[in-house]
């Protein structure tokens, strides 16, 4: 089915030069088809490092560390052989400061596993209907910790953390439910409500399981995606955002009435995924992002609105690519403000600025294809930079590095449901107490900050740090002292940087009283001017491939005219499959071919493989992933 572009929309150009992904060490990995299950990222086992949770079509739950290795006890299996699994939620159900992993499986059960892969006592719970449903966790009744909510069929279930049912639940709907429940205080009475979408209505239930005043609300068309909750106008009351298959975007007030200026029409494009919310310009006004499209419809429309339904400049934007996953709001370029991040069905990672312009460094072509899973964006490996985790139907789970310094306050909607509890509620990020920004410019790093003049301040000290990879600590030293000045804007240029090195900066505000206020650290990766020629794999095509992949590469001079050159193919565990090239090569451009067989000529299995180019003895290797589909 093809839907034509709506009149008046700016149509984005096709992706002619998508960048290759830069993976975190150990990635990508093959976990099995991740259909609509979106990854969640948090410190699950309490060791101070983040883990990634995702469920697959065959009823398995994966919990991986930052380098793609499964934690002990995982993957955990439900025993279900096939069927949709919900996106996992991560929450501490028993108060032991370690998180449990919850998800609904296609066998009609709601599961809870500990950080060790062992089922939590009191779980799983039988739901009244098969299907993946959706899970959200919240402190709902002030009764012995957190509560868990799940949709299944025409019912909304509520459980205490120990697996017992909340009194008055389940709540019943007139029609089957769709998507995840959302949890938040709608009416400002300090008591949360649970909001859920059905075929053509949105329901809101209070703590007793009764319908909230003014609800349910009937909409025009089926509500295929989960509702999102946010105080869009800053009046202290929460509104409900939802889209329908008839292409209408709604904002509903807490009392169940439509907010003035809504609904907004997306023409022929259905809205099948949840919205995202964030402050894109730092002025305290939220931008509401809806995406029209579906996995079987060619093209997608990105709409960005203010609270009154007025389109933001540069939007709506019409894409020629299919989008079947929900958008995120994260700082993808390190400028301190969130961008709109989303992934196309064919596996391209996109990012757009507040004015609709593409973000620098994007698009990025992924290895995964058939993507309906919403990415998760956070600092996975805790190196100070934003990473993006994406799962796909071909089984490829990827963790991709970006060049953006990671600041939690600049990432208001970093994963499906807005957080790893999957509450669907926008919570304004904590204010950034770090009043300086970092920018890479002309081979140098520019530090900028603003501060109103005051006689209480004597000046500012700038500290620079480099990570010691042996000890894991960062060593700082003072590089400059800037005296107090009569203007509010400061800047300092650090020219002593090496291309590709990650630097950390701290700013000390020194007061005349002797007190010191410290801001930071913040991280940035230096990028030099003219790059030296280097040997590298430049392109792999087609990718994924069925019968043959072409691996284009360049050989740069290395202490001679014909350095020793090799291209080897490995599986994702690091096992050597075969050499494609192993000889001296004069500097130039070449193409190697791989037909998907090992050194003995036997076909290898479908999956993700790594092509590795080595030139000479000292040049760094260059790698690219390829995906074989049989």
């Amino acid at each position: 089915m093809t839907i034509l572009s709506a009149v008046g929309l700016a149509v984005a150009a096709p992706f002619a030069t998508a960048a290759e992904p830069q993976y975190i060490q150990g990635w990508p990995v093959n976990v099995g088809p991740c259909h609509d299950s979106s990854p969640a990222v948090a410190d699950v086992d309490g060791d101070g490092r983040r883990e990634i949770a995702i469920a697959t079509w065959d009823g398995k739950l994966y919990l991986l560390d930052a380098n793609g290795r499964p934690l002990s006890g995982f993957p955990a299996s439900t025993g279900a052989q096939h069927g949709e699994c919900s996106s996992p939620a991560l929450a501490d159900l028993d108060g032991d400061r370690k998180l449990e992993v919850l998800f609904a499986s296609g066998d009609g059960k709601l599961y809870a596993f500990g950080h060790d892969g062992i089922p939590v006592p009191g779980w799983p719970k039988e739901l009244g209907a098969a299907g993946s449903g959706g899970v959200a966790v919240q402190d709902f009744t002030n009764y012995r910790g957190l509560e868990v909510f799940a949709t299944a069929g025409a019912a909304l279930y509520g459980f205490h953390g120990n697996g017992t049912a909340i009194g008055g639940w389940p709540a019943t709907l007139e029609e089957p439910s769709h998507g995840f429940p959302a949890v938040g205080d709608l009416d400002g009475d300090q008591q949360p409500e649970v909001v859920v979408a059905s075929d053509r209505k949105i329901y809101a239930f209070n703590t007793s399981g009764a319908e909230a005043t003014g609800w349910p609300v009937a909409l025009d068309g089926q509500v295929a995606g989960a509702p999102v909750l946010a105080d869009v106008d800053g009046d202290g009351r929460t509104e409900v955002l939802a889209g329908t298959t008839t292409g209408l975007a709604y904002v509903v007030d807490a009392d169940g009435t439509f907010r003035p200026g809504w609904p907004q029409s997306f023409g022929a494009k259905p809205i099948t995924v949840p919205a995202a919310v964030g402050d894109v310009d730092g002025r305290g006004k939220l931008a509401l992002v809806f995406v029209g499209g579906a996995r079987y419809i060619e093209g997608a429309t990105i709409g960005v609105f203010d609270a009154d339904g007025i389109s933001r400049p540069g939007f709506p934007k019409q894409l020629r690519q299919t989008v079947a996953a929900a958008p995120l709001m994260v700082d993808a370029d390190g400028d301190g403000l969130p961008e709109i991040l989303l992934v196309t069905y064919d596996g391209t990672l996109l990012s757009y600025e507040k004015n609709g312009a593409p973000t620098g460094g994007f698009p990025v072509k992924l290895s995964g294809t058939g993507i309906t899973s919403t990415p998760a964006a956070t600092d996975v490996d805790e190196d100070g930079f934003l990473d993006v985790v994406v799962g796909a139907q071909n089984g490829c789970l990827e963790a991709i590095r970006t060049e953006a310094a990671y600041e939690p306050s600049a990432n208001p909607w970093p994963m499906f449901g807005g957080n790893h509890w999957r509450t669907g509620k926008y919570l304004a990020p904590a204010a950034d107490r770090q009043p300086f920004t970092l920018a890479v410019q002309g081979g140098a790093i520019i530090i900028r900050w603003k501060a109103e003049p005051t006689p209480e301040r004597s000046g500012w000290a700038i500290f620079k740090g480099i990570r010691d990879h042996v000890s894991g600590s960062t060593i700082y030293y003072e590089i400059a002292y800037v005296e107090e000045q009569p203007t509010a804007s400061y800047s300092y240029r650090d020219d002593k940087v090496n291309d590709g090195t990650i630097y950390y900066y701290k700013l000390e505000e020194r007061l005349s009283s002797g007190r010191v206020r410290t801001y930071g650290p913040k991280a940035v990766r230096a990028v030099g001017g003219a790059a030296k020629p280097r040997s590298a794999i430049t392109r792999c095509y087609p990718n994924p491939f069925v019968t043959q992949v072409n691996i284009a590469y360049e050989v740069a001079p290395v202490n001679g005219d014909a350095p020793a050159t090799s291209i080897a193919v490995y599986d994702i565990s690091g096992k050597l499959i075969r050499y494609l090239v192993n000889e001296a090569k004069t500097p130039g451009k070449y193409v190697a071919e791989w037909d998907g067989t090992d050194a003995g000529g036997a076909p290898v299995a479908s999956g993700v493989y790594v092509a590795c180019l080595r030139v000479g003895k000292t040049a760094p290797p260059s790698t690219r992933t390829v995906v074989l589909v049989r």
Side-chain angles (χ1 to χ4, degrees), residues 388-407:
V388 183
V389 182
V390 188
Q393 292 187 23
N394 68 351
C396 184
L397 182 63
E398 306 171 68
I400 299 154
R401 300 179 186 275
T402 76
E403 301 296 322
Y406 175 67
E407 294 289 350

Side-chain angles (χ1 to χ4, degrees), residues 275-324:
V277 182
D279 180 4
V280 295
D281 49 20
R283 298 179 180 177
K285 301 293 185 180
L286 294 184
L288 317 181
V289 181
F290 291 87
V291 175
R295 73 184 71 180
Y296 302 118
I297 294 178
E298 181 180 331
T301 302
I302 305 172
V304 182
F305 305 91
D306 65 16
D308 297 321
I310 299 173
S311 288
R312 293 287 186 109
F315 295 94
K317 178 176 288 292
Q318 177 72 17
L319 305 180
R320 295 175 181 172
Q321 294 74 25
T322 296
V323 174

Side-chain angles (χ1 to χ4, degrees), residues 13-338:
F15 308 137
T17 56
E20 292 284 343
Q22 301 300 314
Y23 291 111
I24 297 175
Q25 182 179 355
W27 298 86
V29 297
N30 196 344
V31 296
C34 306
H35 286 251
D36 295 337
S37 179
S38 301
V41 184
D43 178 9
V44 176
D45 57 5
D47 66 351
R49 296 186 292 269
R50 295 183 178 96
E51 286 81 36
I52 299 100
I54 195 163
T56 56
W57 178 263
D58 55 359
K60 292 181 180 179
L61 174 68
Y62 288 80
L63 189 62
L64 308 170
D65 68 13
N67 296 115
R69 299 168 298 202
L71 271 65
S72 177
F74 290 91
S77 178
T78 66
Q81 296 301 309
H82 59 82
E84 290 285 0
C85 290
S86 74
S87 301
L90 310 177
D92 182 6
L93 297 182
D94 53 14
D96 66 351
R97 298 187 179 181
K98 295 180 175 62
L99 305 185
E100 281 69 49
V101 188
L102 299 109
F103 73 107
S105 185
D107 60 0
K109 294 181 180 179
L110 178 60
Y111 290 87
F113 289 93
H115 68 280
D116 51 8
I118 298 174
V120 176
W123 302 84
K125 308 304 297 185
E126 291 280 354
L127 302 180
S132 62
V135 183
V137 183
Q138 179 64 285
D139 184 359
F140 187 71
T141 64
N142 296 318
Y143 172 80
R144 290 186 294 177
L146 301 176
E147 285 76 39
V148 180
F149 298 92
T151 55
L156 173 62
Y157 293 83
F159 301 98
H160 295 295
N162 62 8
T164 60
I166 301 174
W169 297 76
T172 57
L173 316 177
E174 296 177 9
E175 302 167 310
S177 59
H178 290 280
F180 277 55
V183 189
D185 181 10
L186 288 185
D187 51 14
D189 65 354
Q190 308 303 312
Q191 294 292 320
E193 282 76 34
V194 184
V195 182
V196 64
S198 72
D199 275 353
R200 293 180 180 271
K201 292 182 179 180
I202 298 181
Y203 293 78
F205 298 94
N206 60 31
T207 54
S208 67
E211 291 177 355
T213 303
W215 301 84
V217 175
L219 305 183
D220 181 4
Q222 185 184 88
V223 186
V228 166
L229 311 182
D231 179 7
V232 301
D233 54 4
D235 67 350
R237 292 162 62 90
T238 299
E239 286 76 39
V240 179
L241 286 65
T244 68
T245 54
T246 55
L248 294 175
Y250 287 85
V251 175
V252 185
D253 283 330
D255 59 3
T257 60
F258 295 160
R259 180 172 173 78
W262 299 87
Q264 289 292 323
S265 176
F266 275 63
K269 288 287 192 302
I271 301 173
T272 59
V273 295
V277 182
D279 180 4
V280 295
D281 49 20
R283 298 179 180 177
K285 301 293 185 180
L286 294 184
L288 317 181
V289 181
F290 291 87
V291 175
R295 73 184 71 180
Y296 302 118
I297 294 178
E298 181 180 331
T301 302
I302 305 172
V304 182
F305 305 91
D306 65 16
D308 297 321
I310 299 173
S311 288
R312 293 287 186 109
F315 295 94
K317 178 176 288 292
Q318 177 72 17
L319 305 180
R320 295 175 181 172
Q321 294 74 25
T322 296
V323 174
L328 303 181
M329 297 283 277
V330 295
D331 182 8
D333 59 4
D335 65 353
L337 295 171

Side-chain angles (χ1 to χ4, degrees), residues 319-499:
L319 305 180
R320 295 175 181 172
Q321 294 74 25
T322 296
V323 174
L328 303 181
M329 297 283 277
V330 295
D331 182 8
D333 59 4
D335 65 353
L337 295 171
E339 284 77 41
I340 301 163
L341 186 78
L342 69 163
V343 64
T344 66
Y345 184 74
D346 65 354
T348 303
L349 192 64
L350 309 176
S351 179
Y352 292 101
E353 301 289 327
K354 64 180 181 181
N355 61 359
T359 302
F362 291 86
V364 175
K365 187 69 181 87
L366 307 176
S367 297
T369 57
I371 298 179
T372 58
S373 165
T374 300
T378 185
D379 183 4
V380 172
D381 56 358
E382 299 182 56
D383 67 347
F385 289 85
L386 182 76
D387 308 306
V388 183
V389 182
V390 188
Q393 292 187 23
N394 68 351
C396 184
L397 182 63
E398 306 171 68
I400 299 154
R401 300 179 186 275
T402 76
E403 301 296 322
Y406 175 67
E407 294 289 350
S409 63
N411 295 273
W413 202 265
M415 61 187 76
F416 187 88
N419 50 65
H420 59 75
W421 282 12
R422 310 297 197 188
T423 61
K425 174 73 166 66
Y426 170 77
L427 301 172
D432 187 1
R433 291 189 63 254
Q434 304 171 12
F436 67 98
T437 62
L438 302 175
V440 180
Q441 192 177 88
I445 295 172
I446 311 299
I447 304 109
R448 296 187 178 94
W449 68 101
K450 291 185 177 181
E452 292 297 329
T454 173
E456 298 177 354
R457 184 188 304 118
S458 59
W460 304 81
I462 302 172
F463 288 81
K464 181 178 182 179
I466 297 179
R467 179 71 62 88
D468 181 352
H469 294 286
V470 176
S471 66
S473 61
T474 303
I475 302 170
Y476 289 92
Y477 56 96
E478 186 174 337
I479 60 171
Y481 180 78
V482 181
E483 293 185 352
E484 176 73 353
Q485 62 186 33
T487 60
S489 296
Y490 295 80
S491 67
Y492 177 81
R493 179 184 179 93
D494 182 10
D495 293 298
K496 297 179 180 179
V497 298
N498 295 321
D499 187 17

